[in-house]
Amino acid sequence: MSWARIVERNVPLVSVLPQVDHAQLFGHAHVLLDEKNFEGCGGLLLTDEHRVTIAVQAAFLLLRRETDYFPRLLSILVYPDAYIVDGEHALGHGIVTEEPQEYAGHTQEHLGAVVLNWRDIRNGSRTANDGHNLVLHEFAHQLDFEDGEADGVPLHDDVAAARTWGELLATEFARLRHEVDSGVRTVLDPYGAQDPVEFFAVATETFFELPGELRTAHPALYDALRRYYRQDPATWAAVDRPLPF
C-alpha cells in the first residue's frame, strides 16, 4: 500500500493540515522511520501501514520546531490489541496496585520505548475529532521527557516560557481535577486528572483533535499549546488536494 493510500485511509488529520506544512510533516515522518526501531509484538507482523500510520501522526508534534526527533526514544513496540502488564501500577491519587493491568499503550522516562497497540492506533487515528489519539498521547510524553523530568512541562525555548507553562499547568490541572470530582463534563479526557504528566498528554490530544472546543473551553491552555507547538489547528480548514508523494 502506498504512503498516499495509507495516510488517506488512516490519518485524516493530514487533510486539514495546511498544505504548506505537508512536506515538512512527511519529511519528519521519514526521519522517524529511518532512525527509530519499529517492532511487532504479541504476534503482530509489522507492515508499512503500521509504521507510516504511527510516524505521520508523531510528526505532527514536531512541525515548525527545532527537533532532535524524540532523542530518548529508541524503539516503538506495537501489539495487535491491548496488552497485560504485571507488577505495580499507579492508579492516580497516590493509589498503587499490584494486580495485572490492561494497557492501551505506555512509555516511561527511562524506558527508551513507546509501546502501542494497533487496534487503538487505527481507531483513534481514523476518527480525528473525538479527542482520543494514542500516538499523540504517548509521543507527547516523550516531549515531556526531553528535559530529563516527567512533570508535564516539556522542554521550552527559555526558562521564562517553561515557568509560564508550569504555572498554567498547575491552574488548568487543578481545574480539571475539580471538574472531574464534581462530575462536570469537560472537553479534556478525565484521564488527564491523574497527574500533570497525563494532563499534558491529554491536552495535546485534545489540542489537535478538538481544537475549537478546547479554545472555547480553555482559551489560556489552548493559547499556550498553540505557542508551544507553533500550530493553530482551530483555524485549519478541510482541503481536498493530492498528497505530495
Side-chain angles (χ1 to χ4, degrees):
M1 189 184 302
S2 70
W3 266 57
R5 178 60 180 142
I6 292 169
V7 172
E8 180 183 16
R9 176 181 180 182
N10 290 346
V11 196
L13 190 60
V14 172
S15 70
V16 298
L17 180 71
Q19 187 76 12
V20 67
D21 292 321
H22 281 194
Q24 184 181 141
L25 179 80
F26 298 124
H28 286 332
H30 273 292
V31 172
L32 293 173
L33 290 167
D34 289 342
E35 293 189 353
K36 308 303 179 183
N37 177 46
F38 287 74
E39 295 183 27
C41 302
L44 179 67
L45 180 62
L46 217 58
T47 67
D48 283 346
E49 181 177 12
H50 301 110
R51 297 184 186 93
V52 170
T53 300
I54 294 167
V56 168
Q57 291 178 88
F60 271 88
L61 306 186
L62 306 178
L63 280 173
R64 302 187 180 188
R65 303 190 300 117
E66 292 187 12
T67 177
D68 289 329
Y69 294 97
F70 308 106
R72 292 176 174 264
L73 177 63
L74 301 176
S75 297
I76 298 159
L77 312 180
V78 188
Y79 284 85
D81 208 330
Y83 52 94
I84 302 298
V85 176
D86 294 320
E88 290 189 352
H89 307 277
L91 300 180
H93 302 287
I95 301 173
V96 176
T97 178
E98 294 184 356
E99 295 293 324
Q101 294 290 306
E102 183 177 87
Y103 275 63
H106 77 281
T107 189
Q108 294 174 351
E109 184 180 356
H110 302 296
L111 183 62
V114 164
V115 188
L116 307 165
N117 85 84
W118 178 243
R119 183 196 66 183
D120 287 330
I121 292 171
R122 182 187 58 216
N123 293 343
S125 64
R126 289 183 180 178
T127 307
N129 59 357
D130 64 354
H132 300 288
N133 185 296
L134 182 62
V135 175
L136 294 179
H137 184 103
E138 298 301 336
F139 278 83
H141 284 319
Q142 285 293 317
L143 293 179
D144 183 14
F145 301 159
E146 284 186 1
D147 62 357
E149 295 186 53
D151 56 4
V153 182
L155 188 65
H156 283 72
D157 292 337
D158 56 65
V159 174
R163 184 182 303 113
T164 299
W165 170 256
E167 293 170 353
L168 177 66
L169 171 68
T171 299
E172 293 285 348
F173 175 63
R175 173 184 169 183
L176 180 61
R177 292 192 69 171
H178 175 73
E179 290 175 341
V180 170
D181 290 343
S182 302
V184 176
R185 187 174 181 178
T186 172
V187 65
L188 292 163
D189 190 321
Y191 187 69
Q194 281 203 37
D195 54 49
V197 174
E198 295 301 341
F199 180 87
F200 173 63
V202 163
T204 293
E205 291 178 88
T206 312
F207 176 72
F208 284 100
E209 292 225 338
L210 294 170
E213 291 87 339
L214 183 65
R215 184 175 63 178
T216 298
H218 299 263
L221 176 60
Y222 181 88
D223 189 58
L225 290 167
R226 179 188 59 79
R227 285 183 279 112
Y228 173 71
Y229 284 114
R230 300 182 184 180
Q231 301 177 66
D232 195 1
T235 67
W236 294 351
V239 294
D240 185 16
R241 300 177 182 173
L243 297 173
F245 300 112

